Amino acid sequence: MSHQSKEFSISSWAVDNRVTVYILTFLIVITGVIAYVTMPREDFPEVIENKVYISSVFPGNSAEDVEKLIVKPLEKEIKNISGVDKVTASSFQDYGMIVVEFADKVGIEEAKVKIKDKVDIVKADTDWPNLDNGSKVDPSVFELNISEEVPILNINMQGNYTTQQLKDYGKKLQDDIEEIAEVKKVDILGVDDKEVEIAVDIFKMTAAQVSFDDIQNAVKYENMTLSGEI
């Protein structure tokens, strides 16, 4: 019985031409490294989500009432919008939130217009609830741009200084950084603003014929600095 051996041509060629295979492999690796190093890429790419948010504040009501009176009517109407992929609703005490995710083919501005139109239709219904002051509950429609909401750089300041001194130094840095053309906005966080709280007696004010504007002006002009000439 004779046995016939089978030979794979590519493998045989690679074995017979090992030097050529080594050179080709080396060239492929070098080309890949050069392509990876020179490939343009963005350090902080803009992340755009096709999501529209609807928030509704309904003070003094339980999560069940918020869901029944606010969230459900809005959710029912929004689901009929063309291009909607997903609707997520959440109800809390005094507050409701709906997240509407659209297909990629729908622009975010177009999506907001569609949502606002449906919200106006729901608000016009006679069963739509009112606030204590008589005005109707007004849902807020907005989008979130992650690239604008999340800071790309945080600068921490510390030292043997008072909080106010650190804030003053921060303001100087803020002015210098905002002069950079690529910088959109600089915020100072971690330091509370100073404020004055004045407790007044309404009955004494009425008796003395003093108004809230009088008190405000008294504080304002007491701490005013004016230039003078000698």
Side-chain angles (χ1 to χ4, degrees):
M1 181 180 293
S2 60
H3 297 279
Q4 186 177 2
S5 61
K6 294 183 179 180
E7 183 177 320
F8 190 51
S9 58
I10 297 178
S11 300
S12 300
W13 181 87
V15 172
D16 296 338
N17 301 273
R18 287 177 294 179
V19 177
T20 303
V21 173
Y22 293 153
I23 294 175
L24 290 175
T25 304
F26 178 76
L27 291 176
I28 293 173
V29 172
I30 293 300
T31 304
V33 171
I34 294 175
Y36 175 78
V37 173
T38 59
M39 182 184 299
R41 50 189 177 271
E42 191 172 350
D43 292 334
F44 305 100
E46 185 178 2
V47 180
I48 300 178
E49 291 185 326
N50 264 17
K51 293 182 180 180
V52 178
Y53 299 80
I54 306 103
S55 64
S56 301
V57 179
F58 195 20
N61 292 270
S62 63
E64 291 77 10
D65 290 339
V66 172
E67 180 179 8
K68 178 182 177 181
L69 300 175
I70 301 293
V71 174
K72 285 298 183 182
L74 287 173
E75 187 179 8
K76 180 180 179 181
E77 193 71 29
I78 289 170
K79 285 183 176 180
N80 296 326
I81 300 177
S82 60
V84 172
D85 279 350
K86 184 179 179 181
V87 179
T88 305
S90 302
S91 302
F92 310 95
Q93 176 74 30
D94 306 331
Y95 182 75
M97 169 67 76
I98 301 176
V99 182
V100 186
E101 185 173 351
F102 283 82
D104 294 336
K105 63 181 180 180
V106 182
I108 190 64
E109 293 300 327
E110 179 186 355
K112 287 173 61 178
V113 171
K114 290 183 176 182
I115 293 294
K116 288 181 179 179
D117 290 343
K118 292 297 183 181
V119 169
D120 291 339
I121 292 175
V122 178
K123 283 175 56 181
D125 195 284
T126 55
D127 295 334
W128 188 252
N130 296 332
L131 298 173
D132 293 338
N133 59 6
S135 62
K136 288 190 173 183
V137 175
D138 188 15
S140 177
V141 179
F142 59 94
E143 62 174 302
L144 287 179
N145 191 329
I146 304 300
S147 60
E148 292 183 359
E149 298 296 332
V150 179
I152 63 172
L153 178 65
N154 291 316
I155 301 175
N156 298 322
M157 298 183 62
Q158 63 179 6
N160 190 21
Y161 302 97
T162 64
T163 303
Q164 187 59 42
Q165 287 176 322
L166 288 175
K167 183 177 181 180
D168 293 338
Y169 293 143
K171 288 182 177 179
K172 294 179 181 179
L173 283 176
Q174 181 182 26
D175 296 336
D176 294 337
I177 296 174
E178 285 182 341
E179 291 180 357
I180 302 175
E182 292 80 7
V183 175
K184 180 180 179 181
K185 184 181 180 183
V186 178
D187 293 323
I188 298 177
L189 304 176
V191 182
D192 296 331
D193 294 329
K194 291 184 177 180
E195 64 179 23
V196 177
E197 182 177 342
I198 302 175
V200 298
D201 190 321
I202 300 297
F203 299 103
K204 290 183 179 180
M205 286 178 57
T206 304
Q209 296 183 348
V210 175
S211 65
F212 287 103
D213 290 335
D214 295 333
I215 298 175
Q216 181 178 349
N217 292 331
V219 176
K220 181 194 303 182
Y221 295 124
E222 181 69 20
N223 296 274
M224 180 178 291
T225 302
L226 298 175
S227 60
E229 297 181 359
I230 299 179

